[in-house]
Amino acid sequence: MADLKERLLPPKPASAFNLREAAGRPTASGRHPFQGVDVLEVKKRGQGLKSWIRVDTSGNSQVMEVDKFTMMRRCDLPARDLRLLDPVFVYPSTILGREKAIVVNLEQIRCIITADEVLLLNSLDKYVLQYVIDLQRKLTTTGAGEVGDVGEVWQSDNSDMNQRRGNRNFENLYSNTSPDYLPFEFRALEVALEAACTFLDTQAAELEIEAYPLLDELTSKISTLNLERVRRLKSRLVALTRRVQKVRDEIEQLMDDDGDMAEMYLTEKKSRMEMSFYGDQSMIGYRSADGASISAPVSPVSSPPDSRRLDKSLSMARSRHESMRSTESNTENIEELEMLLEAYFVVIDSSLNKLTSLKEYIDDTEDFINIQLDNVRNQLIQFELLLTTATFVVAIFGVVAGVFGMNFEIPLFDVPSAFQWVLIITGVVGVCIFSAFVWFFKYRRLMPL
């Protein structure tokens, strides 16, 4: 680990040692510069070493500690892309294609994919470890299959006909768009997409299993406890839907942009850069070998700089031309990545449909509950209306009792059956008034018939 750390970390500059020596020497005024400050300790704290898991094309993994600036130089990435991988910050799901790397931030999977390796932030999360295991298994299985296929292609090359057939099979082998023959970066991206989609689909399935019995219980029994549980369930549903929607939108946006998909062909870009580099080296060697016979006699002082400047201009023009041609060819040949993204777009879209159906079911349950509550409220209003009418009828007896209770004398007080007749007449009048009110309510459809 120490040797690997020394190879990955940048060497300490000589300025650090000069600063320490300068800190020990007093100045002309007799004071020590940087007194009380350990410059190397401050610099060490500023490096911000982080633990990374590296997986190469053969499936071999190792843990290494690298600071941010070394990782930026290693993968040719800006600081804002590495900030997306920082677990301290919460960023939405993102897939970015850069010149030499693919930055992937999908749920718990945060990694950098290059043409030769995959770099993940070391974490105790089981999904990160499972990603490493799945990637190693896929690389090992695919590598063995490719070696066997290549051996079958070139095992019969004794005759010209067999060799031509082998060449044709070899071209078909590497032009196959099946996932087994994808470049390394696409296989790593596929495992990351599979892990993210599986994780989100599992959460959606668990939420679906928990939601339907709870909603059925709420429909049968409306209580404060059930309403609180449904409220928490809906909050989780909204958060999960937002995450699934972000992953779906990111895949869809990537599928709609051919330039971004072509930018992610890292293996092909690397091979083209190597071919261009070797072509430049061979051209320089050819010119240095035949320069004495082809070049015209010029001054020995001014000739080498002009020759180097010309070679540099030709090399830059050739590399620019190769880059443009590579971009055009990648734009025309992006079916492999498009098919890969489309497959996982269907998976994540299915998860989103599950969550959408669950949200619709929750909305329907809420509407049903609101209808039930409105019905109960209407029944209470009707009961209150009848109670108010009955109270008005009973108040008539109070009015009659108050009238006859006044201090005056009438012959009716001397009749023995007068009290009974007063009660009967008052009761009949009250019933008639109550019946008239009920008929009026039904006529105006204020109460059910």
Side-chain angles (χ1 to χ4, degrees), residues 54 77 81 102 284 320 336 341 360-361:
R54 177 183 178 272
L77 292 175
D81 290 345
I102 300 174
I284 293 174
R320 193 180 298 112
E336 296 178 355
L341 294 175
E360 292 177 355
Y361 191 80

Side-chain angles (χ1 to χ4, degrees), residues 91-108:
Y91 290 99
S93 298
T94 308
I95 302 176
L96 300 176
R98 296 302 186 226
E99 182 66 24
K100 295 182 180 180
I102 300 174
V103 181
V104 178
N105 178 18
L106 294 175
E107 295 300 321
Q108 285 80 6

Side-chain angles (χ1 to χ4, degrees), residues 122-182:
N122 192 5
S123 174
L124 298 179
D125 193 351
K126 62 178 182 179
Y127 292 99
V128 175
L129 301 178
Q130 186 64 35
Y131 172 80
V132 175
I133 295 174
D134 294 341
L135 180 59
Q136 289 177 340
R137 184 185 301 113
K138 188 175 185 61
L139 293 176
T140 305
T141 305
T142 306
E146 289 180 356
V147 170
D149 292 337
V150 173
E152 292 178 359
V153 169
W154 289 101
Q155 66 182 356
S156 57
D157 55 348
N158 296 325
S159 61
D160 295 338
M161 183 64 70
N162 290 333
Q163 187 173 1
R164 285 196 296 269
R165 188 182 297 112
N167 290 332
R168 185 164 55 254
N169 292 333
F170 189 79
E171 292 176 358
N172 294 331
L173 172 66
Y174 284 94
S175 62
N176 195 347
T177 58
S178 64
D180 292 338
Y181 305 104
L182 290 174

Side-chain angles (χ1 to χ4, degrees), residues 47-52 64-68 71 82 85-88 121-122:
Q47 285 181 355
L49 294 178
K50 291 185 179 180
S51 180
W52 295 78
M64 58 184 186
E65 293 184 355
V66 187
D67 64 298
K68 184 172 80 171
M71 187 60 65
L82 288 181
L85 307 179
D86 197 341
V88 178
L121 280 173
N122 192 5

